[in-house]
Amino acid sequence: MPLDIVIDRAHGGRWTSMRAAGREWLWRREAPEREKAVPGDAFADAGGLEECVPTVRGIPDHGDAWSRLWAREAGADVLRCDRFGLTRTVRAITDGAVADYVLTADPGFRFVWAAHALLDLSDRALVHIDGGARTRLFPEATPLLDREWPTDAPWVEGDWPAPCGLRLDRFGPDDGTAVGAVVDAAQCCVHDRADRLSFALEADGQPLSIALWRNLGGYPAPHPYRSTGVEPMLGRVFDLAEAGPGDAARVPASGETRWRLTLTTHCRCA
């Protein structure tokens, strides 16, 4: 059945609810500072799905979009920033929803975008991605790996579902860890008991990834909480400043980059 999506345009265009068949998929937390945030503020995590662009980590923290007012124009959500504009059109389909995006900027503008979706999942939830997909891990994963971290390396790579010995396809119970990863894949499916939610990302000529955030009570200090994210992404790094060749999306000569995110409440994976 269609996903019923609620969007808060006054506060970053954040998706605050995503329901189907009585199931709420988006996790939320109390964060009063979220409603008062202005551009330049540190990220205030209220959960839901945040639009992170032109970076996730780095500067500005979680990007420019989450702290700004979005307008409603001709059936679309519209954001205007100093260096780029972003238009998003969300529509229901029979078994989910489709979000179409258009980013306008000067040709050559580089960016990372993520649909920063924090999901309300049980500790039995699984993430299905095709086996063998190259997966990047970042320095917070160091104590969990089966090898030493290379000196000055911004990330290490291994194969899904257990890059460098770290099993990532299951969220599991709280264990005091927090790990981010970027998987070289354009689609995935989340299984939580009998429920399914799949993500599929399409964009011509751009790097496509699925980012994961598995925070099992390990972040932030000194008051950690549990949050589990499955985040379709344009780009292959969280921090735009760390992007090498092919690691970030790039606006072509037309001045427009288009992409589509499809969410469905079923998937064919076992």
Side-chain angles (χ1 to χ4, degrees):
M1 68 188 322
L3 280 165
D4 183 13
I5 295 171
V6 178
I7 293 173
D8 184 356
R9 296 176 184 87
H11 301 98
R14 172 172 157 255
W15 305 24
T16 59
S17 178
M18 193 166 68
R19 298 182 65 88
R23 161 89 191 230
E24 173 61 64
W25 280 100
L26 292 180
W27 170 87
R28 294 173 299 227
R29 68 184 287 268
E30 290 298 322
E33 67 275 21
R34 179 68 178 82
E35 294 192 1
K36 301 176 183 178
V38 297
D41 284 355
F43 182 61
D45 186 8
L49 185 154
E50 302 275 11
E51 302 284 357
C52 293
V53 61
T55 191
V56 183
R57 298 180 183 178
I59 300 173
D61 187 14
H62 282 70
D64 267 330
W66 73 271
S67 58
R68 296 180 183 269
L69 171 70
W70 290 53
R72 186 71 172 164
E73 299 178 6
D77 302 325
V78 178
L79 169 72
R80 293 182 176 88
C81 293
D82 292 340
R83 297 187 61 200
F84 67 91
L86 183 63
T87 300
R88 176 187 65 196
T89 306
V90 181
R91 58 185 173 87
I93 58 175
T94 301
D95 55 357
V98 171
D100 287 307
Y101 294 83
V102 182
L103 185 140
T104 57
D106 291 340
F109 178 75
R110 298 172 77 240
F111 67 95
V112 170
W113 165 85
H116 187 277
L118 297 180
L119 302 181
D120 188 6
L121 302 175
S122 75
D123 60 11
R124 297 173 60 187
L126 305 172
V127 181
H128 287 254
I129 297 174
D130 287 344
R134 294 298 287 172
T135 303
R136 289 181 175 178
L137 297 167
F138 298 85
E140 68 269 14
T142 300
L144 306 175
L145 306 185
D146 60 7
R147 65 196 68 180
E148 296 293 325
W149 192 270
T151 302
D152 297 329
W155 61 76
V156 295
E157 289 191 353
D159 292 334
W160 180 268
C164 307
L166 176 58
R167 191 75 184 262
L168 287 177
D169 60 339
R170 56 190 67 179
F171 286 108
D174 290 1
D175 61 8
T177 66
V179 176
V182 177
V183 187
D184 189 10
Q187 55 189 353
C188 72
C189 186
V190 177
H191 289 206
D192 194 5
R193 297 186 172 92
D195 296 325
R196 305 286 187 268
L197 179 66
S198 69
F199 298 85
L201 187 59
E202 304 168 71
D204 290 340
Q206 304 293 350
L208 306 178
S209 302
I210 301 292
L212 299 177
W213 173 241
R214 195 183 71 178
N215 174 23
L216 305 180
Y219 178 88
H223 303 295
Y225 50 82
R226 179 187 180 95
S227 57
T228 48
V230 178
E231 308 171 18
M233 174 184 282
L234 296 187
R236 296 193 178 99
V237 291
F238 287 113
D239 189 342
L240 179 61
E242 295 180 345
D247 288 338
R250 184 183 293 271
V251 175
S254 66
E256 289 188 350
T257 300
R258 295 176 177 268
W259 66 94
R260 170 172 289 180
L261 174 62
T262 302
L263 306 96
T264 55
T265 52
H266 72 274
C267 59
R268 297 185 177 88
C269 49

